[in-house]
Each structure stands twice: as C-alpha cells, then as structure tokens.
Amino acid sequence: MNLKECQKVGGRIISIHSRRAVSKIASSLNLYPDCGIPILHWFSGSLTELNKMIEMGCYFSVNAVMLNYSKGKSLIAKIPKDLVLPESDGPFAIIKNEIIMPWEAINICSQLSSIWRVSSNEAQHILNTNFKTLSKSYEGF
C-alpha cells in the first residue's frame, strides 16, 4: 500500500525504511499529510533531517545494531523518548554472530537506559507506553 492509498482509507501506521531516503520520505509525507503515522525504521539521517522528521510527527524504531554505533547512539539520544519504539530488524540483524529475533526487540532497554539516564525498567515502561499510545492512535483510523 502506498501513501496515497493510506490517506484514502483514513490513515494507517506505516513502517518506512528510512536509510538514505529521508528527503524523499519527507517530500512524500508532505504530499500525503493524512496518510497516517509514520515509523522510521533504522533512521540514520543527519541531525537536521532528524529534527524535520520529529516535527512531522514521526516515530522512530530502534534496534540493538543501531545502538552499537556512536552515530546511532547520538541520534537516538536526540529523539524524544515518547517517539521511540523497539525493533529487532530480525532475523537480519546479527550481533556477535548471533541472529537477533523479532521477539528480542525489547532487549534494547539496558542500552536505552544508559542513553536516557533512566533505569532499564523505566526504559521498558517508556517503550510500552509508546506502543500503547501508538495503538490507541490507530483506533482512530
């Protein structure tokens, strides 16, 4: 389903692979402002692009591989906590020769806790709250 179709049906939650495509995504979202709620998968753009996507109301899905790189950590630190969702990128993500599976997405809490300077339990609570908020938003579509 494309953004035009999402807008026609009243909006959807949309996961968008954003690596090296942020300006195209922003342009497309501007063309279809009522397409729904975008979640940017594996965001790796610039700080300027990050701020633009935050202003556009995007969520950002974060995985363990992103948290292994200084650029990923730096970007994640600048995303408002209430716009972060966990993802695994599994079974394609591999850390230390181990495949990260989808059900392991929530395992990023200890890494997020150090970036956010909260406990691991608080990081998990934030992620759970974000998911509930997103789910309730979908009820309106």
Side-chain angles (χ1 to χ4, degrees), residues 27-95:
S27 295
S28 296
L29 291 173
N30 279 328
L31 286 174
Y32 303 101
D34 297 321
C35 65
I37 302 170
I39 303 170
L40 302 182
H41 163 76
W42 203 300
F43 182 86
S44 61
S46 69
L47 186 55
T48 301
E49 291 171 324
L50 174 66
N51 290 328
K52 180 174 181 69
M53 301 316 280
I54 290 169
E55 287 175 21
M56 293 181 80
C58 295
Y59 279 78
F60 299 82
S61 58
V62 174
N63 64 58
V65 176
M66 294 170 70
L67 289 161
N68 276 343
Y69 297 97
S70 59
K71 181 178 181 183
K73 288 179 189 176
S74 175
L75 285 171
I76 292 163
K78 291 172 178 53
I79 299 171
K81 292 180 196 84
D82 63 335
L83 296 179
V84 175
L85 296 165
E87 67 157 89
S88 67
D89 204 35
F92 307 105
I94 299 173
I95 296 179

Side-chain angles (χ1 to χ4, degrees), residues 22 38 53 80 86 89 102 113 127 131:
V22 178
M53 301 316 280
D89 204 35
S113 70
L127 295 177
F131 179 74

